[in-house]
């Protein structure tokens, strides 16, 4: 099965929906593109870098990106590709952002990066977009402006993080950020597992000590704090769904109820038993 169709278009910007079982060939990121996987797996190759994009992940690229793609699945891989025209990015950036961020978005080689949709403004916009697929009442112009604004907010955050890193050469800062972002993506996909510092440093291709310093400088949290925050957020959602405190603690990766309760209260200001009672009474 191979199906690609344009579902929304505004000027030179476009949103396409794809359902593909098998494909191998080149793919374009022109002039700035986000390739989001709703279900299945797409494998991209750019130079020596292999990037697997699975459900709820997406890959960014721009005109500087050269990449090929491989899809090989029994079940069609569902995806959304968003192409944003430079004139649209220029217009939105002119209101909210500076020239450096705009140039960084359209020309920077760092643009070729994978992200977890749950961790970015653009990813959250993807989530809001899915129910609108094939919805003819959608105001197309507003939709593209919203996507461009979300994407530029993310780029501003990335631009700021990269420039925090202690390296004289821009190329070195970009490479370090790419390594650290790969490690964060690994955490986002495995935070319920027993992740070691050595595993994360291996994902980033640097020493454990260097990894801790760079991760905290980039994201404002240590790797342990970031994992804990992800687990507590997951636990809070379970409690809201009616899961018991005991089940929530173990499903969220905590060794025991006591450590979970202490961490939860520190993060949210109330004990998990109180949150569970709130939901139960409601």
């Amino acid at each position: 099965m191979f199906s690609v169709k344009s579902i929304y278009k505004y000027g030179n910007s476009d949103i396409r929906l794809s359902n593909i079982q098998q494909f191998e060939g080149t793919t374009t990121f022109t002039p700035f593109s986000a390739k989001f996987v709703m279900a299945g797996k797409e494998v991209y190759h750019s130079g020596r870098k292999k990037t697997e994009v699975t459900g709820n992940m997406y890959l960014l690229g721009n005109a500087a990106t050269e990449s090929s793609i491989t899809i090989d699945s029994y079940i069609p891989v569902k995806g959304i590709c968003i192409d944003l025209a430079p004139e649209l990015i220029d217009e939105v950036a002119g209101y909210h952002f500076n020239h450096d961020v705009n140039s960084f978005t359209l020309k920077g080689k760092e643009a070729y990066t994978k992200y977890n949709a749950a961790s970015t403004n653009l990813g959250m916009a993807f989530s809001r977009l899915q129910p609108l697929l094939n919805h003819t009442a959608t105001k197309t112009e507003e939709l593209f402006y919203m996507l461009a604004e979300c994407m530029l907010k993310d780029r501003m955050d990335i631009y700021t993080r990269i420039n925090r890193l202690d390296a004289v050469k821009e190329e070195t800062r970009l490479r370090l950020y790419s390594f650290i972002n790969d490690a964060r993506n690994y955490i986002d996909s495995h935070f319920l597992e027993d992740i070691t510092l050595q595993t994360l440093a291996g994902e980033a291709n640097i020493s454990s000590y260097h990894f801790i310093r760079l991760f905290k400088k980039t994201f404002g949290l240590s790797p342990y704090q970031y994992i804990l925050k992800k687990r507590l957020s997951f636990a809070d959602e379970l409690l809201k769904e009616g899961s018991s405190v005991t089940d929530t603690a173990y499903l969220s990766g905590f060794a025991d109820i006591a450590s979970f309760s202490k961490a939860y209260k520190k993060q949210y200001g109330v004990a998990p038993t109180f949150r569970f009672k709130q939901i139960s009474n409601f």
Side-chain angles (χ1 to χ4, degrees):
M1 180 180 183
F2 186 98
S3 172
V4 179
K5 65 176 181 178
S6 177
I7 54 175
Y8 295 115
K9 195 169 182 64
Y10 175 63
N12 293 318
S13 299
D14 190 25
I15 299 176
R16 298 185 302 281
L17 182 65
S18 63
N19 282 277
I20 302 173
Q21 281 182 273
Q22 291 185 322
F23 178 78
E24 186 170 358
T26 58
T27 184
T28 57
F29 291 80
T30 305
F32 190 87
S33 300
K35 299 184 184 295
F36 177 72
V37 175
M38 294 186 288
K41 180 174 72 174
E42 298 177 354
V43 181
Y44 293 82
H45 295 269
S46 182
R48 295 181 179 180
K49 186 173 183 179
K50 174 184 175 182
T51 305
E52 294 186 355
V53 185
T54 54
N56 210 37
M57 305 287 289
Y58 67 94
L59 187 68
L60 291 182
N62 60 15
T65 303
E66 296 180 359
S67 179
S68 63
I69 180 175
T70 301
I71 298 175
D72 188 5
S73 174
Y74 289 108
I75 301 172
V77 176
K78 296 182 179 180
I80 301 174
C81 179
I82 298 177
D83 291 336
L84 298 177
E87 56 269 23
L88 178 68
I89 294 173
D90 282 339
E91 183 180 358
V92 176
Y95 280 98
H96 302 286
F97 308 96
N98 61 47
H99 172 74
D100 289 340
V101 173
N102 195 20
S103 177
F104 174 70
T105 296
L106 293 174
K107 299 177 183 178
K109 292 182 179 179
E110 181 277 334
Y112 181 76
T113 311
K114 180 175 71 172
Y115 297 95
N116 186 308
S119 303
T120 66
N121 292 292
L122 186 58
M124 297 305 292
F126 274 132
S127 299
R128 296 197 297 271
L129 174 63
Q130 290 184 56
L132 300 178
L133 299 180
N134 298 319
H135 196 291
T136 55
T138 299
K139 294 184 178 180
T140 304
E141 184 176 357
E142 293 180 8
L143 175 63
F144 278 99
Y145 279 129
M146 181 268 290
L147 291 170
E149 186 172 333
C150 288
M151 182 273 295
L152 283 164
K153 285 180 180 177
D154 291 335
R155 300 300 290 168
M156 183 69 209
D157 289 342
I158 295 167
Y159 181 78
T160 302
R161 288 169 181 163
I162 287 174
N163 284 292
R164 287 181 194 150
L165 298 175
D166 297 325
V168 176
K169 293 183 178 180
E170 181 184 18
E171 183 179 347
T172 303
R173 293 197 301 271
L174 293 176
R175 188 174 69 252
L176 288 173
Y177 177 79
S178 178
F179 291 159
I180 295 300
N181 188 65
D182 285 346
R184 183 178 69 158
N185 283 334
Y186 183 88
I187 293 174
D188 288 343
S189 298
H190 301 274
F191 66 90
L192 295 177
E193 302 170 15
D194 185 17
I195 305 175
T196 66
L197 185 60
Q198 289 72 24
T199 298
L200 293 174
E203 286 292 318
N205 294 304
I206 53 179
S207 71
S208 296
Y209 174 69
H210 198 195
F211 172 73
I212 293 173
R213 288 183 64 253
L214 288 176
F215 193 96
K216 189 168 185 177
K217 192 148 195 174
T218 304
F219 299 114
L221 297 170
S222 71
Y224 170 76
Q225 289 170 331
Y226 186 81
I227 293 170
L228 181 61
K229 185 177 180 181
K230 295 287 293 185
R231 288 179 175 178
L232 288 172
S233 178
F234 180 78
D236 193 50
E237 290 301 317
L238 289 178
L239 290 172
K240 289 176 181 177
E241 293 171 4
S243 176
S244 70
V245 174
T246 300
D247 288 345
T248 298
Y250 292 111
L251 289 172
S252 302
F254 289 88
D256 53 65
I257 299 173
S259 60
F260 166 62
S261 297
K262 183 178 179 180
Y264 187 92
K265 187 172 183 179
K266 184 176 180 180
Q267 176 71 21
Y268 294 105
V270 296
T273 49
F274 179 78
R275 179 61 60 89
F276 177 71
K277 288 178 181 177
Q278 278 186 318
I279 301 300
S280 299
N281 292 335
F282 182 79

